[in-house]
Amino acid sequence: MAVHRRQLTTDLNSQLTKISLPYQCRKLLLSYGVWNSSLNMIEIVHRHRSATKCFLSMGFMKNSKLYIYPEEAIFMMQCSLLQVSINNLEEKNAIPISLTEAYSLWFNQPRLNIKHLHVYQYLTRIGFTLIRHRTDRSMIEAEENLSNKNIKRKRDEYENEIIEPPEEEQQRQHENYTCQVHLSSDCQRLWFPNYTDDPPIDMKVYPRLLFPDKLLPIQIDWVPSDFNLKVSNVQLSIYENNNSSPRPSFSLLRSIDLQSHRTIYQRLSSFRFHSNQTVQPSSSSDIFFDMYKSKKSFRKSQPGEPDYYIQIIDGDDEFNFEKTYHQQQTDTLTAIIHSGDVSFYSIKSFDPIGAFQ
Amino acid sequence: MTSQLCCYIFENRHGLIFNPDSIRILREQYRIIGCLTGNLPEYPRQNAELGLPLELSREECCVLADQHIISMYELILPLNDCEEDHAKYLTDLEIEFQRQKIENGHERINEILINRQSILQRNIQSANENSSETDEFTLSLLETNNAWKNCSRSLEENEHIMLLNIIKQRLRQFTLEYMLMKLPIESRRTNLKLRSITSEELKQNLKLIEQLRCDVFADLYLNKNQKYWISSGQKFGGDYLVYFDDPSRCHSTFIVTCVLRNEIERNSTIIPLTHLIARCRIAVNVNKICILASRKSPISCDIEYLTVNWNGF
């Protein structure tokens, strides 16, 4: 018994000793990064080949520069692969950010906090590739994808290029397509043929449109008629549905308004704000990461459909049956974090009758 | 009274401790387990053992702050580099480089001396090469290296020259790029601003159930009769797991769940009976005891405990 107790004490002591070892690496093997506060990302200014595998799946390119997310930077720092500084005065001799400063600087925000980091670290450690959920990506990525079209690609990228999916799947992809802000040169001109980037306009010159407090159901003349039917069934706080009264002649958005960003903005900004309620995020907004199993052919520019979607919930929150039941993505893993401890659950709808047929 | 153990607070609920010595003190002297969340330095790509920082729950932070064991802070942003800090950093870097150079030098010399037989046999042809002058650094290393001092007495002159050349060659390889860079854990900026946080601030705007959890933790932790070790019980559907000794030595004995009783208008408990049965069965299956903790009265801080056991007949 005394030997067993001594062994257990030694195990605790060895565990405490292990955590006190420094995160260290040869200077020549380090990659260097600089914190970009406006983007809330880390710009990699010097890449070493020891971190190549990490950079293949982390961050994104913009104007030939690599930017990585804070959780990726922390992971690399704790793998002794990366040193980050606040400014870029002396690339390799700048004062490095300490772990404490990195946590305080990067994870004290409403949209990115410590539980996101815990989930990211936990899954990345065991070999999964995690990237930010696609609808969560910033405009920078969209612009960069467009500007990268002219860059020559390496041979293996041509060889490993993803084969185009069949027509049915392409159509499905179009239906779920989330429109991002494009440069006007690449804008789809099917619906907005006269769309152009006009110079900034003086708002005083153009008269603002005023709408009454109570708006009657609207009709948008350039969309299919069944759309108007669906819209008329929607209850909105700014207007009442009154099927008996005739529809007004004015429209929410008219085809003549679709000249440029500015004209649309001007039209929409004319509405007075009636409701004090904040817009509730949709059920898919809890999904923060797309998770991919480890594979050599993974390309962060074209990751493909993720193996799982990661939804992150705090352990002290209550379980929302309604939201979970109507979850859009079926392959969702729910990560529950409580005081640093992470556990994963898979919650799916179940048909007791259909399951046994 | 401020303590030496610094805890950084995030989102007014998570406390992170970055200093490994502080973690050791908290574990060995104050029975605080917490949860390690970072990568382990030696083996970063696994989840069996984790590294810094240690995350403390709100309840642990409050109790430790009230007992003046830890001091809680929040970093005030933004961070700025100043010239003095940069100059000091470069100076420290140079000092560290010199220290590592000496340490590396001794290691190389010892390594060469251990393998001198095979080295001498391989390099017998270059014995007559002219050797360059030995620099001061190498000379100082050789003077302080006991293995060299002992060994050089028995070496012949050509062997002596040969080994000296190899030592000089190896020592030249250790440049600034070759030194080991450590990730700084805590900040050393002189212009760093910290805001002190009290336990009252952490307990502000807490829900009733969260207040109860804090009080139950304090009651268990500060128990005068028995020293308990307390960790998170979420894996078993409870609030806390209670141990009689360090978790590395024994399994937990109790699963404690905090239940609102007198704080709400209804007199009955808010936990449905089916949930209670589920908790009880889980506890029995994992050889633990299910305990419900609640306040005696709305105004009292005294906590009452109730055990639930399933009898299998």
Side-chain angles (χ1 to χ4, degrees):
Chain A
M1 179 58 88
V3 172
H4 182 61
R5 195 175 179 78
R6 217 179 9 251
Q7 186 182 359
L8 289 170
T9 313
T10 311
D11 288 342
L12 173 64
N13 191 45
S14 71
Q15 191 197 4
L16 293 172
T17 307
K18 279 179 201 172
I19 64 169
S20 61
L21 293 174
Y23 295 97
Q24 63 185 5
C25 174
R26 300 269 174 214
K27 199 170 192 290
L28 60 92
L29 297 176
L30 275 176
S31 302
Y32 294 87
V34 177
W35 165 244
N36 188 321
S37 54
S38 55
L39 291 175
N40 203 34
M41 300 192 72
I42 292 91
E43 181 194 332
I44 302 297
V45 295
H46 173 78
R47 280 189 254 181
H48 190 269
R49 62 175 185 271
S50 59
T52 307
K53 202 177 175 185
C54 288
F55 291 134
L56 280 177
S57 59
M58 290 180 183
F60 59 87
M61 298 292 293
K62 180 195 178 317
N63 298 333
S64 305
K65 290 179 188 173
L66 175 63
Y67 291 87
I68 61 173
Y69 291 100
E71 63 272 14
E72 294 164 346
I74 289 269
F75 181 80
M76 286 186 70
M77 283 162 70
Q78 289 198 311
C79 287
S80 310
L81 293 171
L82 179 69
Q83 184 172 289
V84 180
S85 55
I86 293 174
N87 60 52
N88 195 17
L89 291 172
E90 285 181 58
E91 193 182 276
K92 295 187 184 180
N93 287 329
I95 302 175
I97 288 183
S98 68
L99 203 59
T100 315
E101 289 166 349
Y103 270 76
S104 301
L105 202 55
W106 303 336
F107 297 101
N108 241 335
Q109 302 162 37
R111 283 286 295 161
L112 181 67
N113 47 48
I114 286 185
K115 60 178 189 270
H116 299 110
L117 173 65
H118 288 336
V119 172
Y120 179 84
Q121 283 185 316
Y122 190 96
L123 291 170
T124 307
R125 273 185 222 125
I126 52 177
F128 291 105
T129 303
L130 264 72
I131 57 176
R132 294 277 185 99
H133 185 52
R134 287 188 207 178
T135 54
D136 197 46
R137 301 262 181 82
S138 65
M139 270 167 53
I140 295 169
E141 286 176 279
E143 286 175 17
E144 182 56 28
N145 285 339
L146 297 169
S147 61
N148 266 346
K149 276 183 183 172
N150 295 329
I151 292 173
K152 283 185 184 176
R153 293 189 299 172
K154 289 181 185 173
R155 193 183 205 169
D156 55 349
E157 285 190 343
Y158 275 112
E159 287 169 355
N160 293 335
E161 192 168 337
I162 294 169
I163 300 165
E164 273 191 294
E167 265 187 35
E168 293 173 353
E169 210 167 320
Q170 278 183 357
Q171 277 174 10
R172 206 167 354 116
Q173 281 173 6
H174 264 287
E175 284 164 23
N176 294 332
Y177 180 63
T178 307
C179 185
Q180 295 169 345
V181 177
H182 294 277
L183 297 172
S184 58
S185 56
D186 294 288
C187 194
Q188 289 288 334
R189 294 182 182 276
L190 295 173
W191 281 9
F192 313 111
N194 299 320
Y195 210 83
T196 181
D197 279 334
D198 54 4
I201 55 169
D202 188 359
M203 299 299 282
K204 291 176 191 171
V205 173
Y206 287 84
R208 289 173 73 84
L209 299 163
L210 296 172
F211 286 87
D213 288 338
K214 288 184 182 179
L215 287 177
L216 295 170
I218 51 99
Q219 186 170 15
I220 303 171
D221 52 7
W222 50 269
V223 293
S225 56
D226 54 349
F227 177 83
N228 281 309
L229 194 64
K230 287 177 189 172
V231 168
S232 65
N233 291 329
V234 172
Q235 294 285 342
L236 292 179
S237 57
I238 62 168
Y239 68 87
E240 291 173 359
N241 270 336
N242 191 349
N243 291 327
S244 58
S245 61
R247 288 168 181 268
S249 57
F250 52 81
S251 302
L252 181 67
L253 273 180
R254 303 160 300 183
S255 51
I256 56 167
D257 293 319
L258 305 169
Q259 300 296 323
S260 67
H261 292 77
R262 287 279 173 186
T263 51
I264 292 178
Y265 170 79
Q266 189 186 7
R267 179 78 179 179
L268 292 176
S269 64
S270 302
F271 288 99
R272 284 183 218 162
F273 187 67
H274 288 271
S275 170
N276 290 326
Q277 288 175 348
T278 52
V279 175
Q280 294 299 322
S282 63
S283 61
S284 62
S285 65
D286 288 337
I287 292 173
F288 201 81
F289 292 116
D290 293 342
M291 185 170 102
Y292 299 83
K293 290 177 188 170
S294 173
K295 50 189 175 192
K296 284 182 186 175
S297 59
F298 179 82
R299 287 279 180 274
K300 63 187 175 192
S301 53
Q302 289 176 332
E305 202 63 27
D307 294 301
Y308 290 101
Y309 298 93
I310 305 294
Q311 181 184 34
I312 299 174
I313 294 176
D314 195 276
D316 289 327
D317 286 347
E318 288 175 357
F319 177 67
N320 188 330
F321 189 95
E322 194 67 34
K323 195 159 70 163
T324 311
Y325 189 76
H326 291 113
Q327 218 153 257
Q328 291 174 10
Q329 283 89 359
T330 53
D331 294 327
T332 304
L333 280 181
T334 304
I336 297 179
I337 297 102
H338 189 260
S339 299
D341 197 31
V342 187
S343 44
F344 296 90
Y345 298 91
S346 179
I347 305 168
K348 293 179 185 176
S349 60
F350 175 71
D351 176 17
I353 298 165
F356 295 103
Q357 282 178 350
Chain B
M1 187 170 90
T2 53
S3 163
Q4 293 295 327
L5 307 183
C6 294
C7 177
Y8 295 90
I9 302 294
F10 293 81
E11 298 167 62
N12 217 40
R13 51 185 301 188
H14 305 287
L16 294 183
I17 299 204
F18 292 89
N19 190 319
D21 296 329
S22 304
I23 295 171
R24 182 181 280 271
I25 292 171
L26 285 174
R27 185 69 179 253
E28 290 178 346
Q29 293 181 20
Y30 297 108
R31 297 173 282 124
I32 292 295
I33 304 163
C35 183
L36 291 166
T37 57
N39 297 356
L40 197 66
E42 275 186 315
Y43 306 104
R45 301 263 183 174
Q46 48 81 35
N47 282 325
E49 288 185 39
L50 300 182
L52 303 173
L54 181 80
E55 181 164 335
L56 301 181
S57 62
R58 185 195 276 123
E59 298 88 36
E60 287 169 322
C61 290
C62 290
V63 164
L64 292 175
D66 289 338
Q67 300 295 308
H68 303 293
I69 297 169
I70 62 169
S71 301
M72 299 189 291
Y73 299 103
E74 191 183 38
L75 230 69
I76 297 174
L77 302 171
L79 300 172
N80 293 309
D81 281 343
C82 71
E83 282 181 21
E84 290 164 0
D85 286 340
H86 191 239
K88 188 172 184 311
Y89 169 70
L90 292 174
T91 312
D92 289 344
L93 199 66
E94 183 60 33
I95 293 169
E96 178 64 20
F97 170 64
Q98 293 300 330
R99 190 193 68 78
Q100 286 188 22
K101 199 172 170 186
I102 293 168
E103 203 177 294
N104 175 75
H106 284 299
E107 278 175 18
R108 293 295 140 257
I109 293 170
N110 293 342
E111 202 180 288
I112 288 166
L113 291 175
I114 288 168
N115 298 314
R116 65 181 181 276
Q117 296 296 335
S118 56
I119 292 170
L120 289 170
Q121 281 173 10
R122 262 202 325 264
N123 288 318
I124 200 95
Q125 291 172 4
S126 58
N128 294 325
E129 280 175 13
N130 288 331
S131 61
S132 56
E133 271 191 32
T134 311
D135 58 308
E136 275 185 33
F137 172 72
T138 312
L139 282 174
S140 66
L141 262 186
L142 293 172
E143 278 167 20
T144 49
N145 190 288
N146 292 328
W148 175 261
K149 282 194 283 191
N150 293 334
C151 186
S152 58
R153 287 176 212 145
S154 58
L155 289 172
E156 293 176 10
E157 195 181 329
N158 58 339
E159 288 173 347
H160 191 273
I161 294 167
M162 214 183 307
L163 286 177
L164 198 58
N165 285 339
I166 290 168
I167 287 168
K168 279 188 283 186
Q169 205 177 44
R170 291 277 170 88
L171 293 182
R172 257 182 258 130
Q173 288 173 359
F174 191 84
T175 58
L176 192 66
E177 289 293 307
Y178 207 73
M179 70 175 285
L180 287 170
M181 295 290 288
K182 292 180 191 172
L183 169 70
I185 302 296
E186 288 181 293
S187 178
R188 288 182 186 175
R189 287 172 214 271
T190 51
N191 57 357
L192 190 75
K193 289 175 196 161
L194 295 172
R195 184 176 76 89
S196 182
I197 297 177
T198 57
S199 62
E200 285 77 28
E201 206 176 318
L202 273 192
K203 286 181 193 171
Q204 264 178 11
N205 303 321
L206 283 188
K207 295 178 201 171
L208 292 172
I209 188 70
E210 288 168 341
Q211 284 172 16
L212 177 62
R213 284 192 196 120
C214 287
D215 292 341
V216 168
F217 183 89
D219 189 64
L220 289 168
Y221 182 76
L222 300 171
N223 190 319
K224 289 171 190 172
N225 301 325
Q226 178 72 42
K227 302 284 180 191
Y228 291 123
W229 300 70
I230 308 163
S231 74
S232 170
Q234 220 180 43
K235 282 187 179 147
F236 294 101
D239 290 313
Y240 302 115
L241 289 178
V242 179
Y243 304 75
F244 283 113
D245 201 350
D246 190 289
S248 63
R249 295 185 201 121
C250 65
H251 291 286
S252 58
T253 310
F254 305 121
I255 305 173
V256 178
T257 306
C258 301
V259 178
L260 290 173
R261 191 176 62 173
N262 295 301
E263 294 87 345
I264 52 174
E265 287 174 7
R266 292 174 290 163
N267 287 327
S268 60
T269 59
I270 61 164
I271 184 171
L273 211 55
T274 44
H275 291 197
L276 184 70
I277 293 164
R279 287 175 203 273
C280 180
R281 292 296 295 268
I282 289 171
V284 165
N285 279 328
V286 295
N287 296 324
K288 298 181 202 307
I289 300 168
C290 173
I291 291 182
L292 303 178
S294 61
R295 275 191 232 278
K296 269 184 186 170
S297 67
I299 48 170
S300 163
C301 287
D302 293 341
I303 307 291
E304 276 183 338
Y305 300 94
L306 205 69
T307 62
V308 186
N309 273 320
W310 172 62
N311 290 311
F313 59 79

